[in-house]
Amino acid sequence: MKKTTSSFSKLGMLITLGIVYGDIGTSPLYVMNAIINDAGKMKEAVPEYIIGSISLIFWTLMLITTIKYICIAMKADNHSEGGIFALFALVRSKKWLIIPALIGGSALLADGTLTPAVTVTSAMEGLKGQSLGNFTMSNDQSVILIMVTVILLTIFVIQKFGTDRIGKSFGPIMLIWFSFIGIMGLINITSDWTVLRALSPIYAIKILTSPVNHVGIFILGSVFLATTGAEALYSDMGQVGKYNIYATWPFVYTMLMLNYLGQGAWVMSHYLDKQYMNLNTINPFYEMLPGQTKIFAILIATMAAIIASQALITGSYTLVEEAIGLKILPRLRVKFPGDSKSQLYIGSVNWLLCLVTLGIVWSFRTSEHMEAAYGLAITLTMLMTTILLHQFIIMKKHPIAATIFVSFFFTLETLFFISSLVKFVHGGYITVIITTIILMIMVVWYFGNKRRDMYLDESQSVSLLNYIPQLEKLSNDERVPLYATNLVFLNRIGSDYSIKRSIIYSILDQEPKRAKVYWFITVNQTDKPYECNYNVDMMDTRNVVNVQLNLGFKKSQHVNIYIRQIVNGLMTDHVIDSQTPDYSMMPDRRVGSFKFVILNEQFQDLGAQEHMNSWDRYLIGGRILLQNLTLSPAMWYGLEFSDVTEEKVPLFLGSHIDHYLVKKQVRNIKK
């Protein structure tokens, strides 16, 4: 499937419409509503105000979505993969860039909880007061919320079964959606052709300081809603291929602008009508439609909203999986319910998203209130992406272009961020709280790993080479019972053969573990998404093996899949001795038994660790706590059906001298 969707073709373009544009494609459902709400009442949405607002929408989509993301960001692909973490993997030679990556990633995950709530609620609110035969829909918002809840629950429930078959229909549905909104917009433009003046940037600049704009620069907070799907567009590049996005965006952009212009023309023609003029909440998207098309519009809008929600949910899975691969988030169980690597499911993420999304729906109740909270976090993500892209352009040896890029887009997005801050008191604090919680988890896990490794490197590492003679002697000592044919340790071995002291202690000191072959496997996450290779260092032995397994950040971590292939390959090359067992139901079996030993580090009382400051103690302790709350190493490495021994060891092995301990007296020594 991945090959089909990412190849440039008519089918690829159709699938791209269904996968990439759900978020940005449903923005006409609520953007103009938010802009009219900024005006105060419908009668204050005068032509100058509407033309200026639509001009801001047009140029925002042009500058941020088209130029920044379509033309620039998509050139920063990590082996065809996009998104803020894939971009960070490209530029992480600069260590400080982890900060914008963590902030941007956490904000993107937080803002994703609002998209399903806003889009589905906006679509369903069009049902209010609609008649179907003798049945008239209630105007009660609680009825709408119940329907929204049922739809969202259904979306989240079906995730674990895979959405491959449903996804194939997304493209045609979105093609109908975009064609419909474009045609409806064009029909309404004919009622007031002067709305086309909005294509000039002059009106966009003028409206920011015009007296008819009562909110001033803060109108950008509502305008920004039109481009919130740009970051998701970049993240989905790996699923559909950049050339399919290049080919479909002009069509999508045209249909979106036709609809915005059509909504604007309708408002300009009706803003003084008695039935509308005193309303402060009105949705021009539905109001401009002929009566006989409204039911169809609601149905197709609901399907488009479901597709947008689906895209954000699966996008969150992808983002979390990439973060796990880069050791930014703790290990979580990842399943692949479909036939494609891109079809993945993370249960814990799914139900957390569900809980938060439904909480937002019932807390804010109306799309108008949700819009007030929407977009704040995504402006932060875009700012962080700009910083990372600046470094990427520098890496491409274009320092002047990098300076121009960051100066322009950082300034522009800072304006959007400032204008969105007004949303904080109206609900934006929700996304800020969620962002902060996710960011704290990322910081504790990432920097907890770094600080732990620093202390281990300083005091808890030994050279494996120094223990090779003992390991070879133990392997051949038949007085010691055979513990396993192949004894496998999944721990990092440094380029200087440094290894955790606790591993050697486990083999030699606790109870000598004799094995025919000792395997020390290091799993390295690489910057290439689907890389899969390994290096073997026998260290001048036939039974002590150092394996460096290099797996891309989107590759399965199930070590048992690879280890048997590696063993068979080494036997074929006569690097290690044959292990043909004496008894087996498989006559051609050459590989003996495996036992995996995983050391579960526990955080002992560090009161005596005077060399550790309180910040490091918090980070390392928090990291161990998260490790105990999330997926165990055995489950992560796919060893749940293998022979695994888990040994609890102190994080810091060895005794610590307490300088306050004083010898008082020694009595009755036998001579």
Side-chain angles (χ1 to χ4, degrees):
M1 180 180 172
K2 183 173 178 61
K3 185 176 180 180
T4 303
T5 58
S6 61
S7 302
F8 179 59
S9 62
K10 291 180 180 178
L11 177 60
M13 290 166 62
L14 185 64
I15 294 173
T16 299
L17 288 176
I19 293 177
V20 171
Y21 299 112
D23 190 4
I24 202 167
T26 51
S27 56
L29 286 170
Y30 47 80
V31 171
M32 285 301 292
N33 185 27
I35 288 173
I36 292 172
N37 189 259
D38 285 341
K41 292 184 178 181
M42 179 71 164
K43 64 182 179 182
E44 304 199 49
V46 296
E48 181 185 350
Y49 176 78
I50 292 298
I51 290 173
S53 299
I54 296 175
S55 185
L56 284 171
I57 292 172
F58 176 79
W59 288 102
T60 297
L61 286 171
M62 176 64 74
L63 294 172
I64 293 182
T65 309
T66 306
I67 295 178
K68 177 187 172 182
Y69 282 97
I70 302 289
C71 298
I72 298 175
M74 288 209 303
K75 295 185 184 301
D77 65 296
N78 190 339
H79 297 272
S80 300
E81 295 292 332
I84 193 165
F85 287 142
L87 176 58
F88 166 69
L90 284 174
V91 300
R92 62 175 170 174
S93 56
K94 298 287 185 181
K95 293 183 179 179
W96 67 272
L97 290 173
I98 184 61
I99 302 299
L102 293 180
I103 294 172
S106 57
L108 185 59
L109 283 171
D111 210 66
T113 60
L114 269 168
T115 297
V118 172
T119 53
V120 176
T121 305
S122 296
M124 297 305 294
E125 283 176 344
L127 283 171
K128 285 185 176 181
Q130 294 297 318
S131 297
L132 187 61
N134 295 325
F135 175 76
T136 301
M137 185 66 188
S138 170
N139 285 312
D140 186 355
Q141 185 67 16
S142 296
V143 176
I144 298 297
L145 293 182
I146 292 171
M147 296 173 69
V148 170
T149 300
V150 170
I151 291 172
L152 289 174
L153 275 175
T154 303
I155 294 172
F156 283 108
V157 166
I158 66 172
Q159 297 303 313
K160 66 178 179 180
F161 302 110
T163 54
D164 189 29
R165 292 182 180 178
I166 301 173
K168 291 178 181 178
S169 65
F170 285 177
I173 291 172
M174 291 305 291
L175 178 60
I176 294 170
W177 166 254
F178 283 119
S179 301
F180 174 76
I181 65 173
I183 292 169
M184 290 297 104
L186 183 60
I187 290 172
N188 279 274
I189 290 172
T190 59
S191 66
D192 195 335
W193 290 99
T194 60
V195 75
L196 294 177
R197 289 182 295 172
L199 302 180
S200 168
I202 295 173
Y203 295 94
I205 297 169
K206 282 184 176 180
I207 195 62
L208 293 175
T209 56
S210 172
V212 302
N213 173 18
H214 305 311
V215 293
I217 192 176
F218 294 107
I219 193 176
L220 293 176
S222 296
V223 170
F224 184 77
L225 298 178
T227 193
T228 52
E231 190 72 38
L233 180 151
Y234 176 44
S235 299
D236 288 332
M237 177 173 62
Q239 292 191 54
V240 299
K242 65 173 69 176
Y243 294 104
N244 286 317
I245 296 177
Y246 289 152
T248 51
W249 172 244
F251 166 73
V252 172
Y253 189 12
T254 301
M255 296 300 104
L256 287 173
M257 284 315 306
L258 283 175
N259 194 263
Y260 285 125
L261 289 165
Q263 290 188 48
W266 181 87
V267 173
M268 289 163 59
S269 300
H270 296 84
Y271 76 103
L272 291 178
D273 289 2
K274 289 183 179 180
Q275 65 189 98
Y276 300 121
M277 62 186 298
N278 290 315
L279 297 178
N280 56 9
T281 300
I282 186 171
N283 194 334
F285 177 83
Y286 286 118
E287 294 296 333
M288 74 173 182
L289 301 177
Q292 62 272 23
T293 64
K294 283 187 179 180
I295 295 298
F296 173 77
I298 293 166
L299 291 174
I300 193 70
T302 302
M303 287 189 282
I306 291 171
I307 292 170
S309 302
Q310 172 65 36
L312 260 293
I313 294 167
T314 54
S316 296
Y317 300 155
T318 301
L319 195 68
V320 169
E321 188 201 25
E322 290 177 356
I324 292 170
L326 293 168
K327 296 187 176 179
I328 290 172
L329 280 176
R331 297 165 179 151
L332 299 171
R333 179 179 287 281
V334 180
K335 295 182 179 180
F336 300 91
D339 298 327
S340 169
K341 177 75 177 178
S342 62
Q343 277 280 311
L344 52 91
Y345 171 74
I346 305 176
S348 54
V349 174
N350 183 70
W351 295 114
L352 277 173
L353 279 174
C354 179
L355 182 65
V356 175
T357 301
L358 292 179
I360 288 169
V361 167
W362 285 94
S363 297
F364 289 93
R365 297 188 64 82
T366 68
S367 62
E368 176 193 350
H369 293 151
M370 295 176 202
E371 290 154 15
Y374 192 35
L376 175 58
I378 205 68
T379 58
L380 195 58
T381 301
M382 287 187 173
L383 279 167
M384 299 303 105
T385 299
T386 295
I387 294 172
L388 296 176
L389 283 172
H390 171 250
Q391 181 60 33
F392 173 79
I393 298 171
I394 289 176
M395 287 172 55
K396 294 298 181 181
K397 311 298 183 184
H398 301 300
I400 296 176
T403 302
I404 294 171
F405 170 82
V406 75
S407 299
F408 179 79
F409 282 102
F410 196 83
T411 301
L412 177 63
E413 289 164 353
T414 299
L415 287 175
F416 279 111
F417 179 68
I418 292 171
S419 64
S420 295
L421 284 177
V422 73
K423 297 181 176 185
F424 182 84
V425 295
H426 298 293
Y429 61 87
I430 294 294
T431 49
V432 172
I433 291 171
I434 299 170
T435 298
T436 303
I437 293 172
I438 298 171
L439 181 60
M440 287 176 63
I441 294 172
M442 289 181 173
V443 166
V444 168
W445 186 259
Y446 183 83
F447 289 104
N449 277 321
K450 292 292 184 183
R451 301 307 294 171
R452 181 200 62 169
D453 292 345
M454 185 198 74
Y455 282 102
L456 292 178
D457 290 343
E458 288 179 354
S459 61
Q460 299 297 314
S461 296
V462 295
S463 174
L464 179 59
L465 296 178
N466 294 337
Y467 296 91
I468 294 294
Q470 288 195 59
L471 292 176
E472 288 188 295
K473 182 180 178 181
L474 176 59
S475 180
N476 296 315
D477 190 349
E478 295 187 358
R479 295 174 302 169
V480 179
L482 187 67
Y483 186 76
T485 305
N486 295 281
L487 185 59
V488 184
F489 285 86
L490 297 169
N491 287 92
R492 181 167 298 279
I493 308 294
S495 57
D496 58 351
Y497 298 99
S498 59
I499 188 173
K500 287 182 181 179
R501 184 189 300 270
S502 55
I503 295 175
I504 302 300
Y505 179 83
S506 171
I507 299 174
L508 301 178
D509 290 273
Q510 287 188 329
E511 180 183 345
K513 296 181 175 69
R514 185 167 78 89
K516 289 185 178 180
V517 183
Y518 294 98
W519 298 84
F520 301 96
I521 299 181
T522 303
V523 180
N524 301 303
Q525 275 83 37
T526 70
D527 295 347
K528 299 177 181 179
Y530 296 100
E531 184 174 3
C532 186
N533 57 65
Y534 65 93
N535 300 305
V536 173
D537 184 352
M538 297 299 300
M539 296 173 286
D540 297 321
T541 72
R542 292 187 65 82
N543 60 351
V544 183
V545 191
N546 173 15
V547 178
Q548 298 289 325
L549 183 58
N550 306 307
L551 301 174
F553 61 85
K554 293 180 76 69
K555 210 51 188 161
S556 170
Q557 300 285 316
H558 288 193
V559 172
N560 59 330
I561 297 174
Y562 312 110
I563 185 68
R564 293 186 183 276
Q565 292 179 244
I566 295 172
V567 174
N568 276 302
L570 294 180
M571 286 183 180
T572 301
D573 296 337
H574 304 290
V575 175
I576 61 175
D577 298 329
S578 175
Q579 300 177 357
T580 304
D582 294 331
Y583 304 99
S584 174
M585 64 180 292
M586 296 177 287
D588 57 344
R589 178 174 177 176
R590 297 193 302 161
V591 180
S593 63
F594 284 85
K595 178 165 281 193
F596 295 84
V597 176
I598 294 176
L599 302 183
N600 185 356
E601 297 168 331
Q602 296 296 315
F603 201 39
Q604 73 271 40
D605 180 17
L606 293 183
Q609 302 289 343
E610 297 173 353
H611 61 289
M612 180 176 289
N613 61 50
S614 58
W615 179 242
D616 287 346
R617 192 176 304 156
Y618 162 75
L619 287 175
I620 297 172
R623 188 258 178 225
I624 297 295
L625 176 63
L626 288 173
Q627 172 186 291
N628 293 335
L629 292 175
T630 52
L631 202 64
S632 68
M635 299 287 281
W636 171 256
Y637 288 117
L639 304 175
E640 54 262 51
F641 300 111
S642 302
D643 188 358
V644 180
T645 298
E646 184 174 307
E647 295 182 357
K648 289 185 178 182
V649 296
L651 183 59
F652 299 102
L653 188 67
S655 60
H656 178 79
I657 298 175
D658 192 329
H659 298 287
Y660 293 99
L661 180 64
V662 178
K663 180 174 71 176
K664 299 281 288 193
Q665 188 178 29
V666 179
R667 301 175 62 186
N668 302 323
I669 301 174
K670 184 177 181 180
K671 300 295 185 179

